[in-house]
Each structure stands twice: as structure tokens, then as C-alpha cells.
Amino acid sequence: MEIPEDLIVLGIEGTAHTAGVGIIQGKEILANQKNMYKPETGGIHPRESADHMTKWLPIVIKKALEEAKISLKEIDAIAFSRGPGLGPCLRTTATAARTLALMANKPLIGVNHCVAHIELGRLLTGAENPITVYVSGGNTQITHYNQQRYRILGETLDVPIGNALDTIAREMGLPHPGGPHIEKLALKGTEFIKLPYAVKGMSLSYSGLITAATKLYKKGISKENIAFSVQEVAFGMLAEVSERALSCTESKELMFTGGVAANQRLKQMLKQVAEEQDATFYAIPKKLAGDNGVMIAVTGALHYVANDTLPIEKSYVIPRWRTDRVPILWRA
Ligand code: AMP
Ligand code: MG
């Protein structure tokens, strides 16, 4: 199914740190506005982040409508990130979405955040049926579409990769989010230090890597060498699982998305994996790789064309909503 050219959908993202609103008309992006919560110390505090959504969502919604130059009346449906994510953030976002849907008297659509990353990636890159490597602060998944579901071929058993990078960075006294700092430091690393490489079948585990890297730092090893070694090990694990996914499915497309997709070293490794498997490599543009409202609007539009809207009274949030639980009704 295709998104009709005249269909206008507003999508609200609010699973963790980003209060984002996107508006699309057909496949065209009319607006992309966001405001990110940045903790002063430590990692994301769910309650603080939810308060950030309460404060910023009304402002971001208004800015998006202004950017798109349309009024609420002209919108055909309101979509929101229903899960997975932090409970307090999801509930705040859902409240904003329900309010808009009632005000505009338009249908409400609940969107899975991980599915949204995949659908926006397909729309922007033109990949048709890729193996998707989705790496972010809250998720690490390798998926492939089969029979109405995005099947999870591989995933983390414990900590998501972005969260692991952020935690290691924090232990080394770097600000949040730490991923970009690790990338910069790694460029200056000169010595590889062995760290736990934990791939079990198609599953990944990053908790041992966090512990080991933290111990190295306390022993006085340089941040540069730790960052370099952490990247080689953490990304090598992902490359191995992605390669096996391509090989076993014989898929000829590899798509790369999520906040950690900004990392050039990981991009380079996955590109090489794709080339060795005769697959085309697709990376989502950096601007739309992290959480945003556009991906919720795009996926909301697909639910809409499949007649899959959500009655307000059933619009509870699903904090642990797995990617492979969502019926993908718009694909053959
Ligand atoms: P998301 O949850 O999709 O918005 O992504 C946020 C995550 O991406 C955080 O864990 C960041 O540390 C991570 N991230 C952002 N830029 C980079 C980078 N250049 N290298 C590694 N991780 C990054
Ligand atoms: Mg995300």
C-alpha cells in the first residue's frame, strides 16, 4: 500500500528524550520540529523527561503547524509513539495526541517507535525489503520483514549499544550523550585492548563490556585507547550478526538507522559487510536517523491506509511493545 498524495498526518514522538512533531502530506515532509531533553547530570530521568514533554510538546506542535503552514483542521489523522519507551514519557505524549485528535475530531493512530524507524528508512532510502540495523540509546535490533511482521533476527540481551556507549562515557567523566565523545576520542586511540566480545547465536550482550571498560579507566588506561577498543569490539559484534543476517536470508539490502547511525566507524564496518555479501548499503540521512516526529507521521499514514486506527478508550501506552508484535498490515 502507498501513502495517498493528499493525505496529511501529524506525528508525535515522545518515547524517551525527544519531544518531536512531524507533519507529512503524502510522501512529502511539511514539518520536522523537535526539542531534546538533556539531563544535567547522569542519564535520562524518566520523570524529568516526561516533564520536559509536558512543557515542550505544545510549543513543538505549534511550531510544526507553523512550519507546515496548515491548521489543525486540515490534518487527516494524529499519530503518536505508543511504545516501546519510558512509561511517564509515553503517557504524556499519548495525552497530547488524544487531546489533538479530540480537538480536531480526527482519528488517532498508535505507532511502534522501532517500526517507525524502519518505515522512515524505507521511504527515505528507497530500500524495499532490507535487513535493518537499528541502533539507538534504547534499542539494538536487526530485523527483516516476513509475513506481516518485522521479525527480530538479532538483538541485545541486556543493554542497548547507545546506552552502553553513554554509560562508559559517563564513567570516564564525559557529558551525556556520550556516543559522539567516544567516537571523537576513538580517532586518537593507538592501542587495542582486549574487551569482552559477547555474541551468542544472533544475540548481543553489552553489559560485560561496560564493566570491563570502566575497570580499565580506573586502572589508568587512556580514554582514547578505551574509546577505540570499545568501538572496535562493540561494533564488531554488530557487524558479525548483520553479516549472518544477510547471509542466512540472502537479502540484498542492508539499512542502517537510529541515533548511533551517526557513527562513521560503525557505518564503515557495516558498509563493508554489505559489500562482502553483495548487498546494497543504505544509511538514513543523519538529520532523520535519531528520534523524530516525521517517522511517527509516516508510519501513522501507513496504518491509516490499512484502516488501522485506535479508539481513544483503547489508546493506552505499551512501554515494552516488541517490534515483532505489530501486524504490518500495509505490506503484502
Ligand atoms: P536515539 O535514541 O536514536 O535518539 O539515539 C541516541 C543515542 O545515539 C545516544 O546513545 C547517543 O550517544 C548515540 N549517538 C549519537 N551520535 C553518536 C555517534 N556519533 N557515535 C556513537 N553514538 C552516537
Ligand atoms: Mg529511537
Side-chain angles (χ1 to χ4, degrees):
M1 288 176 195
E2 288 271 317
I3 302 174
E5 252 173 53
D6 55 351
L7 180 70
I8 303 180
V9 180
L10 181 147
I12 311 179
E13 159 60 31
T15 55
H17 47 65
T18 300
V21 177
I23 302 175
I24 59 159
Q25 177 163 28
K27 291 179 184 173
E28 197 193 335
I29 298 170
L30 299 185
N32 179 25
Q33 293 287 333
K34 61 165 102 174
N35 189 290
M36 260 181 89
Y37 157 76
K38 290 212 177 75
E40 276 167 29
T41 56
I44 297 175
H45 188 299
R47 189 66 253 162
E48 275 178 17
S49 188
D51 287 346
H52 180 90
M53 305 277 165
T54 307
K55 176 173 170 204
W56 282 99
L57 278 177
I59 300 167
V60 178
I61 289 165
K62 195 160 163 261
K63 276 179 141 177
L65 288 168
E66 279 165 14
E67 186 189 351
K69 299 192 180 66
I70 55 168
S71 67
L72 191 55
K73 287 201 304 279
E74 293 170 83
I75 286 168
D76 296 304
I78 306 289
F80 74 104
S81 56
R82 195 183 181 194
L86 305 171
C89 301
L90 293 174
R91 285 190 290 275
T92 305
T93 306
T95 305
R98 286 181 204 117
T99 309
L100 277 189
L102 288 169
M103 276 168 71
N105 195 22
K106 291 291 155 66
L108 182 67
I109 297 164
V111 169
N112 179 291
H113 177 93
C114 308
V115 169
H117 274 290
I118 299 170
E119 290 302 349
L120 180 65
R122 293 204 317 130
L123 182 78
L124 296 177
T125 66
E128 272 177 33
N129 191 20
I131 297 281
T132 302
V133 181
Y134 164 40
V135 281
S136 72
N139 297 282
T140 302
Q141 293 181 344
I142 290 121
T143 57
H144 192 225
Y145 176 81
N146 186 24
Q147 298 196 21
Q148 245 69 63
R149 302 281 164 136
Y150 285 109
R151 310 284 168 179
I152 301 174
L153 302 183
E155 64 186 323
T156 180
L157 294 174
D158 43 43
V159 189
I161 186 161
N163 191 316
L165 297 174
D166 293 342
T167 308
I168 293 167
R170 188 155 70 236
E171 293 290 343
M172 300 198 295
L174 300 163
H176 183 90
H181 297 284
I182 298 266
E183 177 167 30
K184 250 189 230 147
L185 285 167
L187 292 172
K188 296 192 211 129
T190 51
E191 195 193 331
F192 177 78
I193 304 145
K194 254 183 127 178
L195 286 164
Y197 182 100
V199 172
K200 313 213 183 230
M202 290 293 282
S203 302
L204 311 148
S205 161
Y206 287 112
S207 57
L209 184 66
I210 298 175
T211 311
T214 306
K215 271 193 191 153
L216 288 181
Y217 181 66
K218 288 184 178 149
K219 266 187 11 202
I221 306 288
S222 79
K223 287 182 200 173
E224 288 80 4
N225 284 342
I226 295 173
F228 169 64
S229 308
V230 161
Q231 282 206 158
E232 293 309 299
V233 172
F235 299 167
M237 287 162 55
L238 264 171
E240 179 190 331
V241 173
S242 305
E243 179 161 55
R244 198 146 50 238
L246 281 174
S247 167
C248 291
T249 58
E250 294 186 27
S251 168
K252 290 297 163 214
E253 297 176 316
L254 185 68
M255 190 171 80
F256 185 36
T257 190
V260 185
N263 189 289
Q264 294 305 311
R265 177 63 183 134
L266 180 54
K267 190 170 179 181
Q268 186 187 35
M269 278 195 201
L270 292 179
K271 196 160 177 244
Q272 194 180 341
V273 162
E275 277 164 13
E276 281 169 12
Q277 293 291 324
D278 290 322
T280 308
F281 181 72
Y282 298 95
I284 191 163
K286 196 171 163 182
K287 195 171 164 236
L288 289 163
D291 295 351
N292 62 79
V294 175
M295 68 187 202
I296 304 299
V298 166
T299 312
L302 292 166
H303 278 278
Y304 186 89
V305 293
N307 263 325
D308 191 16
T309 62
L310 189 63
I312 299 266
E313 61 277 15
K314 288 190 184 153
S315 64
Y316 52 86
V317 301
I318 315 177
R320 292 185 179 273
W321 198 9
R322 277 177 66 83
T323 310
D324 56 4
R325 295 294 93 201
V326 185
I328 307 299
L329 303 173
W330 52 89
R331 287 190 65 170

